[in-house]
């Protein structure tokens, strides 16, 4: 578990998180819709989320991914941080994705959570590189990445199907052998 500030923590997704994740996704459904794949009605149910939690925990045990939740003092989930597609061998890389609840944005929470995930990726997972992709017009997410030392590496046409359409993305990378920011937001 990582303390992000006096009110928020970052911890791995764990069995039993399905109900809280269902509530979080339902509460921010409109906020997340432009930035995520189109979701079925079933996605927003406790049952679907708990099944996904079990898959997530199993994938973490194999080292293929690790997914985190950002929690408020009342244990309400106010964000997700996902490190997917972890590749070992000479690549030692993973793909970062994240979201923060609408009522928790513009407070530096995403920046601090990404910093904590990067530190974990380097210190606990031994990764060399983390990649992230944003929609071309997602300036807020691009600011979070820039604050964490990511560099732009190019444009990927029709990279992901987001909001029901194949959309272009800006690709970023962060080499982890360079200095990392503390979760508090300080170098």
């Amino acid at each position: 578990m990582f303390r992000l500030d006096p009110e928020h923590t970052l911890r791995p997704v764990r069995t039993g998180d399905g109900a809280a994740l269902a509530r979080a996704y339902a509460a921010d459904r409109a906020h997340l819709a432009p930035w995520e794949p189109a979701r079925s009605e079933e996605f927003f149910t406790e049952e679907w989320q708990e099944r996904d939690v079990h898959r997530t925990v199993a994938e973490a045990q194999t080292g293929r991914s690790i997914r985190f939740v950002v929690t408020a003092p009342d244990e309400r989930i106010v964000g997700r941080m996902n490190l997917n597609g972890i590749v070992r061998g000479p690549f030692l890389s993973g793909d970062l994705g994240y979201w923060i609840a609408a009522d928790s944005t513009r407070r530096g929470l995403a920046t601090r959570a990404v910093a904590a995930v990067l530190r974990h990726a380097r210190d606990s997972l031994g990764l060399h590189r983390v990649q992230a992709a944003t929609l071309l017009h997602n300036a807020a997410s691009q600011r979070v990445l820039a604050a964490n030392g990511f560099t732009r590496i190019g444009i990927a046409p029709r990279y992901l199907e987001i909001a029901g359409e194949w959309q272009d993305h800006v690709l970023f990378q962060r080499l982890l052998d360079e200095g990392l920011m503390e979760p508090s937001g300080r170098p």
Side-chain angles (χ1 to χ4, degrees):
M1 184 179 316
F2 304 94
R3 172 76 46 201
L4 299 176
D5 60 32
E7 297 179 350
H8 298 95
T9 59
L10 178 76
R11 64 163 174 80
V13 169
R14 60 184 178 220
T15 302
D17 280 340
L21 282 164
R23 285 190 298 275
Y25 278 112
D28 274 285
R29 188 174 188 166
H31 168 67
L32 297 173
W35 315 108
E36 292 202 331
R39 305 292 191 187
S40 69
E41 288 302 316
E42 184 183 23
F43 175 86
F44 298 94
T45 66
E46 291 180 20
E47 297 78 18
W48 192 98
Q49 289 298 324
E50 191 61 31
R51 281 193 310 273
D52 190 57
V53 163
H54 283 272
R55 182 184 57 77
T56 294
V57 170
E59 283 184 5
Q61 291 171 344
T62 67
R64 290 191 306 258
S65 69
I66 184 162
R67 296 178 183 129
F68 300 89
V69 290
V70 178
T71 60
D74 60 1
E75 291 299 310
R76 181 174 63 99
I77 293 174
V78 297
R80 281 279 297 258
M81 298 280 146
N82 300 322
L83 194 54
N84 297 313
I86 295 173
V87 177
R88 297 287 173 186
F91 196 40
L92 289 175
S93 185
D95 290 302
L96 177 70
Y98 53 89
W99 61 262
I100 297 293
D103 66 358
S104 297
T105 60
R106 301 186 183 274
R107 300 178 191 175
L109 188 56
T111 299
R112 291 188 301 276
V114 167
V117 170
L118 292 176
R119 188 164 303 285
H120 180 76
R122 184 192 66 192
D123 297 344
S124 297
L125 302 177
L127 297 185
H128 164 71
R129 177 182 173 278
V130 171
Q131 178 175 300
T134 72
L135 290 167
L136 300 181
H137 60 281
N138 192 343
S141 191
Q142 291 169 20
R143 284 191 299 272
V144 167
L145 296 174
N148 277 286
F150 279 80
T151 56
R152 181 180 162 144
I153 55 175
I155 302 286
R158 298 172 38 108
Y159 184 67
L160 290 172
E161 189 176 11
I162 300 296
E165 296 179 37
W166 288 99
Q167 296 196 43
D168 298 350
H169 281 65
V170 183
L171 301 180
F172 296 86
Q173 72 175 6
R174 179 63 162 95
L175 300 179
L176 300 179
D177 54 353
E178 301 166 352
L180 294 179
M181 192 172 72
E182 292 295 323
S184 65
R186 293 183 291 276

